[in-house]
Amino acid sequence: MPTDFAPTRCDRTAAWAALSGHFEAHGRGFDLREAFVRDPARFASLSFEAPEVFADLSKNLVDAATMRFLADLARECGVEAYRDAMLAGAAINVTEGRAVLHTALRAPRDVGPFSDEVHGVLDAVLAFAETVRGRAGLRHVVNIGIGGSDLGPQMVVRALAGFVQPGLAFHFVANVDGADLASVLARVEPAETLFIVASKTFTTQETMANAETAKIWFLAHGGTRIEEHFVAATTNVEAAARFGITRTFGFWDWVGGRYSLWSAIGLPIAIAIGASGFRELLAGARAMDEHFASAPVEKNLPIVLGLVDVWYRNFHRFTSRCVAPYAQALQRLPAFLQQLEMESNGKRVDRDGAVLPYATSPVVWGEPGTNAQHAYFQMLHQGSDVVPVEFVLFKQGGATLAGDAASVALARQHRMLIANGLAQAQALMRGQTAREAREEGILAGKSAAEAKRLASHRTFPGNRPSTTFVLERLTPRSLGALIALYEHRVFTSGALWGIDSFDQWGVELGKALGSRLLPALDLQAGDSVAGLDASTAGLLGRLLS
Ligand code: F6P
């Protein structure tokens, strides 16, 4: 295992200076439409093939020189050596002194670090998942977890709904707001339900509160044999035992919460899609890992995406990125990516603790298309900020209905879905000039004066960047590859920025203050709230009155 390798911070490289000069000369005023006219091969030269994922980056504000300087940046920063250090198990999470080895979770048996441990637990998780799938009378699986112990499994189970064992319903409870748990418990019976308490630490306030309440409800509603109806996925096996759970699937501190769906935290996924489906998910991720580990920088899709992210954030100064999966099944992908990217790279100091002179994680947000088109796409097309958009398209749709006529109708809807995604990317790029808007108005029967009056409202600036991913079909394998692609992209931008992408100290202060405030909610109106700031004290008074 190599010693920890520290990447060089992006702003301390010659490539960064070259990129700054290039941005001033060609980047700031870059016009996508002209770029396509100038270079007929632009689509071919800016398309990338990675396992399961084809990516068109040609509608981005980059040219060949930008890509060259960005590749230089990756090399000068040492992204490849840093990647190799991560894959080999170096403790690159420097603030917690931990290795970062979610890739080990999808390596084949006898390959890579911790293979025996990983495959021992994987075999146990998958064997248990199969018994649950065959358990007579079991109809509900309730996952109690939050953050990485919720978002990944929830996103994947919803995405792969078409592969889920019929007759089993999956519920995900995360919020400490009891309404989340209560709405699920109202729909299940103790004897028909398996509760999975999913928590890396087994100390997270929300998860512990929900698990305690679920246990109280279970016993109060005639539930028996807790050992059959409650299981845990955690690194803290002792705490799970103290809770009264005897069947626990463990994992390790080198699996970050937001990277944990491949571990025992993936148990709901394994129950939903079965052992073979889960192995396919892992295989898809593994294929992307191999691409990430071996493709040259210029063709390495996660590295290229991470580089373009830095170009946009630090040179164009775009503050957010929108993800628009054109697949209803991926409705939770944006939420999952929010944690993955913003908890990983939402940092303002480098690995040595020095305050960074540049911005890091953009805000990541989105909704599935076409719904998003009828909500916030207005702002993407005509708002004052430029927001790069990421379209995720599937050649084949996943929806099925019995009957030939219904199948034909669904196939047509899938073509409509794709046409909409392509059209939005096209509209963002092309825009519409005032003249075109005027002519359109006249063609629509408006008077010249009216067409002129509306033209500025109907003008689209265009030149707005987007990336389009094309996948064959949403399957366990393609989803595994897609998630791993995002993981490695986040790794790349974090490496360039020189930050520790694998800690999350930013959530601690709120947690600590929340625990200190909790006793104050048992006070009576008029009790002293000494020590609190005036606003918090005032709000507390209002809530207690
Ligand atoms: O919010 C911070 C965090 O630690 C996340 O990183 C993590 O995914 C989540 O809380 C849940 O933690 P645990 O799995 O330990 O309950």
Side-chain angles (χ1 to χ4, degrees), residues 19-20 90 105 113 134 159 161 172 189 314 405 416 444 501 542 545:
L19 279 163
S20 304
L105 300 169
F172 291 85
E189 290 296 331
N314 300 119
M416 289 166 74
S501 298
R542 182 90 193 181
S545 64

Side-chain angles (χ1 to χ4, degrees), residues 85-340:
M86 173 178 77
L87 298 176
I92 66 163
N93 176 352
V94 283
T95 69
E96 297 181 298
R98 290 178 182 166
V100 173
L101 275 173
H102 44 280
T103 48
L105 300 169
R106 49 238 192 176
R109 212 176 289 277
D110 299 327
V111 175
F114 301 109
S115 187
D116 288 348
E117 292 90 328
V118 165
H119 282 275
V121 174
L122 177 62
D123 290 346
V125 165
L126 297 185
F128 177 69
E130 288 298 330
T131 66
V132 172
R133 286 160 68 85
R135 203 189 278 183
L138 193 92
R139 294 179 50 221
H140 298 279
V141 176
V142 180
N143 190 78
I144 298 178
I146 197 163
S149 301
D150 165 65
L151 289 165
Q154 185 182 163
M155 183 271 284
V156 172
V157 169
R158 302 224 186 289
L160 299 176
F163 296 78
V164 169
Q165 163 107 333
L168 268 186
F170 288 80
H171 313 271
F172 291 85
V173 174
N175 201 327
V176 78
D177 179 352
D180 199 6
L181 177 67
S183 73
V184 170
L185 296 183
R187 285 176 280 151
V188 305
E189 290 296 331
E192 299 176 336
T193 306
L194 174 72
F195 292 91
I196 301 172
V197 185
S199 173
K200 178 174 170 181
T201 54
F202 224 81
T203 58
T204 303
Q205 188 197 49
E206 293 91 333
T207 302
M208 293 304 104
N210 277 320
E212 287 291 353
T213 307
K215 189 161 80 169
I216 292 167
W217 170 90
F218 180 82
L219 295 172
H221 286 74
T224 54
R225 297 200 306 278
I226 286 226
E227 65 286 0
E228 262 183 38
H229 291 274
F230 281 77
V231 299
T234 184
T235 58
N236 190 350
V237 177
E238 299 78 26
R242 281 196 299 278
F243 180 88
I245 293 181
T246 48
R247 190 189 294 271
T248 295
F249 300 95
F251 60 109
W252 309 273
D253 70 359
W254 40 261
V255 181
R258 50 198 175 273
Y259 301 87
S260 64
L261 70 90
W262 322 98
S263 72
I265 292 291
L267 177 59
I269 304 172
I271 297 172
I273 63 174
S276 59
F278 196 80
R279 287 196 191 279
E280 278 286 289
L281 183 80
L282 296 177
R286 171 70 184 176
M288 190 60 75
D289 294 344
E290 285 173 345
H291 169 81
F292 176 55
S294 61
V297 165
E298 287 79 0
K299 294 196 174 310
N300 195 309
L301 183 56
I303 294 184
V304 168
L305 290 170
L307 286 166
V308 173
D309 289 341
V310 168
W311 172 242
Y312 280 165
R313 189 72 186 99
N314 300 119
F315 293 92
H316 284 279
R317 305 200 176 201
F318 299 149
T319 54
S320 81
R321 191 173 76 247
C322 172
V323 186
Y326 273 62
Q328 187 59 27
L330 286 178
Q331 58 185 287
R332 295 299 288 165
L333 181 67
F336 169 77
L337 294 179
Q338 284 180 330
Q339 188 197 15
L340 180 64

